[in-house]
Amino acid sequence: MFFHEYTCDQIFDYISESGLDSLEFWVETPHFWVRGCPEDEISGCIAGHPELSPITVHAPSLDLNPCSINPRVAEISVEYTIEAIRMAERIGAAVVTVHPGRRTAKREPSAPDYKRFETYVARLEEVAEETGVKVAIENMEPRINTLLATAEDVAEVLEREPWLWLTFDMGHAMMNSQAEVGRFLDLCIERIVNVHVSALGGNGRPHHPIHDDPDALGVLADLADRGYPGLLTLEIDDMIFPAALSAEEKIVLLSRELVALKEAFF
């Protein structure tokens, strides 16, 4: 959502200009989503930017919940996720990040919620096997109704589902504690294929820039020390800044973030 208001070709151009070498394409990007998801345009963007290939995909998540107590909400949420995986196969994306869902009520998840989650995961396994796309579930923010917020919960799912991968959102994990980040890496490092990279802001919220944040840079150093070979995806909320950033300012910011990534890993 960092380039939320721009067209798809502009998004690819700007990320390339920043020096980054891939992007995670969010299916609900307005220019793509509200126009009926014209895949030929995305394929054209990919072909026109070989320096960004292969891209990854983030499945739809707004207003959706595959574990919803409302059957129709759950079903359409699952279908949107499955279609994102099939789209990823068609456009040659390497990984699809999916959300695990949550309990509808703001209460601790219960047995029926986990049953719905298991049904959802079984559907994802079927399409992952059909397409050969790597499906990576994301650890979520620690909220009372969250299904996958702790390292232990995520590790249990990954052990039970050997085909499934992890998109590790370091900002979400840092909301628990720095120690929780270490537990994620101890328990899940071999299954991480994508890292959502961000720092916590002064309000304790994730998706802030990392380049001047010691805690976030420390997480990256830990990943590098453990030999993490996978994707690093900057996830920055452009609404955290005092004023709206221009495209040029966003490109400069991403370039600064890239320097921090290179210093941590190279």
Side-chain angles (χ1 to χ4, degrees):
M1 296 181 72
F2 191 59
F3 290 109
H4 185 267
E5 68 271 37
Y6 294 98
T7 65
C8 294
D9 56 340
Q10 287 174 319
I11 292 170
F12 276 76
D13 286 345
Y14 296 158
I15 291 176
S16 180
E17 287 178 40
S18 75
L20 295 169
D21 62 5
S22 187
L23 65 90
E24 184 169 279
F25 183 74
W26 180 47
V27 176
E28 288 166 303
T29 297
H31 181 251
F32 181 73
W33 184 255
V34 302
R35 295 167 56 246
C37 303
E39 286 182 23
D40 58 330
E41 291 187 13
I42 293 303
S43 295
C45 290
I46 293 170
H49 298 82
E51 70 281 4
L52 299 180
S53 185
I55 71 166
T56 63
V57 167
H58 196 299
S61 59
L62 297 183
D63 296 329
L64 300 175
N65 179 12
C67 299
S68 174
I69 195 172
N70 300 291
R72 293 182 183 177
V73 172
E75 181 61 26
I76 194 65
S77 301
V78 173
E79 290 301 323
Y80 273 131
T81 305
I82 288 173
E83 180 52 35
I85 297 170
R86 296 195 185 282
M87 186 190 85
E89 178 193 24
R90 293 190 291 267
I91 66 175
V95 173
V96 176
T97 294
V98 303
H99 282 192
R102 61 196 178 278
R103 181 173 182 177
T104 301
K106 290 183 172 60
R107 298 170 180 261
E108 293 280 351
S110 60
D113 301 298
Y114 285 107
K115 181 63 177 176
R116 286 188 283 271
F117 175 71
E118 291 170 5
T119 300
Y120 168 52
V121 169
R123 296 277 302 278
L124 296 186
E125 181 179 12
E126 292 176 3
V127 72
E129 290 178 351
E130 291 173 11
T131 60
V133 173
K134 282 188 175 180
V135 176
I137 203 157
E138 180 179 348
N139 60 296
M140 305 307 294
E141 294 184 5
R143 297 178 178 174
I144 189 170
N145 59 337
T146 298
L147 291 178
L148 292 183
T150 70
E152 286 75 14
D153 286 347
V154 171
E156 180 182 341
V157 170
L158 294 177
E159 182 176 2
R160 191 169 66 240
E161 308 290 342
W163 60 274
L164 188 62
W165 302 88
L166 174 62
T167 288
F168 175 53
D169 191 303
M170 57 184 266
H172 293 170
M174 290 167 68
M175 291 176 71
N176 277 311
S177 67
Q178 288 295 116
E180 184 69 10
V181 175
R183 283 192 288 272
F184 266 102
L185 300 187
D186 288 340
L187 295 175
C188 306
I189 187 68
E190 294 182 357
R191 305 288 288 280
I192 299 174
V193 292
N194 188 12
V195 177
H196 282 177
V197 176
S198 72
L200 296 185
N203 59 357
R205 301 290 302 162
H207 309 150
H208 287 247
I210 62 163
H211 60 265
D212 57 357
D213 186 273
D215 289 338
L217 295 174
V219 174
L220 293 172
D222 195 357
L223 281 164
D225 289 343
R226 294 171 188 256
Y228 171 67
L231 295 153
L232 298 167
T233 303
L234 293 166
E235 186 172 14
I236 303 170
D237 181 358
D238 69 337
M239 300 297 288
I240 64 173
F241 300 97
L245 301 181
S246 66
E248 292 73 18
E249 289 171 321
K250 291 183 176 184
I251 292 168
V252 170
L253 176 59
L254 290 183
S255 298
R256 294 181 68 186
E257 296 285 275
L258 176 58
V259 171
L261 293 177
K262 286 183 175 180
E263 288 178 349
F265 275 83
F266 306 109

